Amino acid sequence: MGLDIVIPVYNEGDNLLPWLQALTHYLQPADRLVIVDASDSDCLSDTLFDVISNIKQVHYLKSEKGRAVQMNAGAEFLTNLATENLHQTDPRILWFLHSDSGLSCHHLEYLRSLDTGVIWGRFDVQFTPELDISADTFSLSIIPKFMNLRSRLTQVMTGDQGIFIRSDIFQQLKGYADIPLMEDIEISKRLRKLGKADCDGPVLKTSARRWQQNGCLPTVLLMWKLRLMYWLGVSPTVLVKKYYGE
């Protein structure tokens, strides 16, 4: 299947450059990637503009703030691009990727090689500590193992795990719910009714910055608390304020 990559960003600026430059080396001609930017500034730096402009597989889109809103906008853009410009009607893989994920060519190769019977999935994750912040290395090595195991058992995934969905299934579900938090959990619950997730790809490394800044135990407890509140019916609008400490 063809591969479409959606990357929501917010106020990343030129911090995105090294990651984007590495990723574009892995792209094949049939791949498509869109950066969906909800940053406060309307202008790109000249360097970032040049990188995006000079790689035909890479596209740039402005959007309202909100990860679900951004990911839906990116998916719609790429789906329309494949249908109208490339005259393709076969399903493609939509991969929703965070800009702090340390992917390799193996992840893209894995997604391109998926059987058309695979409708969705995610990758096991491994935390990468930020060198400028003190790290509880033991906790940072154990927590992802439990995250990976829990998601395999419950079939409920998080955005850090690089969720991928077949494009026709994403359209059938009408994309992510327009909520400010828990959009990954909400769509997982709908997807698992349609089929089991593929979780057999290579490990995806992701930044541990938030865990290091806030502490591993407080972050775990906050996540559990938010999930419980969501399960009890608390609005994501309320939860997002607690998530960001407002």
Side-chain angles (χ1 to χ4, degrees):
M1 287 185 283
L3 178 58
D4 287 340
I5 307 171
V6 179
I7 306 170
V9 299
Y10 176 67
N11 287 348
E12 293 288 347
D14 282 351
N15 293 330
L16 190 63
L17 268 173
W19 183 88
L20 180 60
Q21 289 171 327
L23 173 57
T24 52
H25 288 303
Y26 307 142
L27 296 177
Q28 292 187 357
D31 298 334
R32 295 291 181 268
L33 180 150
V34 62
I35 297 168
V36 188
D37 190 2
S39 299
D40 298 328
S41 173
D42 291 330
C43 300
L44 292 173
S45 70
D46 291 340
T47 308
L48 189 55
F49 177 82
D50 287 343
V51 171
I52 294 173
S53 300
N54 291 328
I55 303 172
K56 66 179 182 179
Q57 297 102 317
V58 178
H59 306 272
Y60 179 82
L61 187 67
K62 285 294 292 185
S63 167
E64 294 182 3
K65 182 182 176 183
R67 188 163 279 161
V69 173
Q70 291 170 253
M71 292 189 294
N72 284 340
E76 182 180 5
F77 173 84
L78 290 176
T79 299
N80 291 340
L81 184 68
T83 302
E84 296 172 9
N85 295 355
L86 303 178
H87 306 292
Q88 294 177 347
T89 56
D90 293 335
R92 297 171 63 86
I93 286 291
L94 284 165
W95 189 21
F96 300 94
L97 186 65
H98 290 182
S99 61
D100 59 0
S101 296
L103 76 167
S104 72
C105 61
H106 302 298
H107 297 92
L108 280 71
E109 291 169 357
Y110 182 80
L111 292 174
R112 294 188 197 106
S113 68
L114 286 174
D115 184 270
T116 54
V118 175
I119 65 171
W120 77 298
R122 60 92 177 125
F123 296 95
D124 280 347
V125 291
Q126 176 182 327
F127 285 158
T128 301
E130 298 288 336
L131 298 179
D132 59 336
I133 308 176
S134 61
D136 177 356
T137 54
F138 177 76
S139 296
L140 292 178
S141 66
I142 293 297
I143 290 171
K145 296 182 187 299
F146 283 103
M147 288 174 56
N148 297 332
L149 177 60
R150 175 199 53 76
S151 66
R152 281 179 184 267
L153 295 176
T154 64
Q155 295 284 284
V156 174
M157 317 307 183
T158 65
D160 288 334
Q161 294 174 308
I163 296 173
F164 52 90
I165 307 170
R166 209 172 68 195
S167 60
D168 59 327
I169 298 298
F170 188 79
Q171 290 175 307
Q172 176 183 325
L173 295 177
K174 301 187 185 304
Y176 285 95
D178 187 6
I179 52 180
L181 196 68
M182 301 294 176
E183 76 287 338
D184 44 5
I185 293 175
E186 193 278 337
I187 201 170
S188 293
K189 291 181 177 180
R190 288 186 284 152
L191 283 163
R192 69 183 181 182
K193 296 177 181 178
L194 303 179
K196 188 175 180 180
D198 181 288
C199 303
D200 298 329
V203 171
L204 183 68
K205 295 182 179 181
T206 189
S207 171
R209 176 172 289 272
R210 181 176 178 83
W211 298 82
Q212 292 176 254
Q213 287 178 332
N214 299 335
C216 289
L217 181 58
T219 302
V220 168
L221 294 176
L222 175 63
M223 297 300 184
W224 285 354
K225 177 182 177 181
L226 294 176
R227 285 172 179 266
L228 176 60
M229 294 174 69
Y230 179 68
W231 183 76
L232 292 173
V234 177
S235 167
T237 303
V238 174
L239 298 180
V240 74
K241 294 180 181 179
K242 295 184 178 296
Y243 180 75
Y244 289 108
E246 297 178 8

